[in-house]
């Protein structure tokens, strides 16, 4: 496990909160949540999607982390050493309960938090 621990980076889940803006709308804010260690590796290629007739591409990454938490689809994670944010784009892959190594794997893409 020393190799995994040596390659791990400090990360934190980002918790989304919505507060009233006083004018009938809401302001979305993100705060750091639970901290954990993960091995973050880039995946060759980029994810492509079309939003409002504009093609957008984002770099994809894999997060390999201990089963101390569960990351779900669309969860936001920040790497604390460089403060980059990522959005989970694939469901968590967990090992069998009988496996001797208890780590999970998710795929995520670079993501920018909205400026509100």
């Amino acid at each position: 496990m020393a190799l995994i621990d040596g390659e791990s980076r400090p990360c934190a889940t980002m918790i989304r909160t919505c507060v009233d803006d006083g004018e009938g709308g809401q302001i979305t804010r993100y705060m750091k949540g639970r901290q954990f260690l993960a091995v973050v590796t880039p995946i060759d290629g980029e994810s492509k999607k079309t939003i409002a007739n504009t093609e957008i591409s984002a770099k994809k990454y894999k997060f390999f982390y201990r089963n101390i938490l569960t990351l779900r689809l669309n969860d936001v994670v920040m790497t604390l050493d460089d403060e980059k944010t990522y959005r989970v784009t694939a469901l968590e892959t967990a090992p069998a309960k009988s496996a001797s190594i208890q780590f999970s794997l998710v795929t995520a893409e670079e993501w920018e938090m909205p400026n509100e």
Side-chain angles (χ1 to χ4, degrees):
M1 293 303 142
L3 181 61
I4 292 173
D5 293 335
E7 293 294 319
S8 294
R9 298 170 60 186
C11 300
T13 58
M14 299 301 290
I15 300 169
R16 186 180 82 166
T17 58
C18 296
V19 293
D20 290 332
D21 65 359
E23 297 176 2
Q26 291 185 336
I27 298 173
T28 302
R29 293 194 177 117
Y30 286 88
M31 299 181 306
K32 291 178 187 165
R34 186 170 184 182
Q35 293 187 10
F36 63 100
L37 293 174
V39 177
V40 182
T41 57
I43 300 172
D44 291 336
E46 296 180 335
S47 61
K48 305 246 185 218
K49 55 188 161 191
T50 304
I51 299 175
N53 295 329
T54 304
E55 190 170 281
I56 297 173
S57 62
K59 291 182 181 176
K60 295 190 293 185
Y61 294 84
K62 287 189 179 184
F63 280 73
F64 186 67
Y65 56 94
R66 292 186 189 272
N67 287 352
I68 58 170
L69 77 153
T70 300
L71 292 177
R72 294 181 174 82
L73 194 62
N74 293 321
D75 280 353
V76 177
V77 177
M78 176 184 281
T79 49
L80 298 177
D81 54 356
D82 60 4
E83 294 196 348
K84 286 187 179 179
T85 53
Y86 306 86
R87 187 178 59 88
V88 176
T89 59
L91 295 174
E92 182 177 75
T93 304
K97 293 189 187 294
S98 61
S100 62
I101 185 168
Q102 291 296 316
F103 283 80
S104 294
L105 176 73
V106 294
T107 303
E109 66 183 11
E110 284 184 349
W111 188 75
E112 282 189 41
M113 286 192 274
N115 295 328
E116 289 192 48

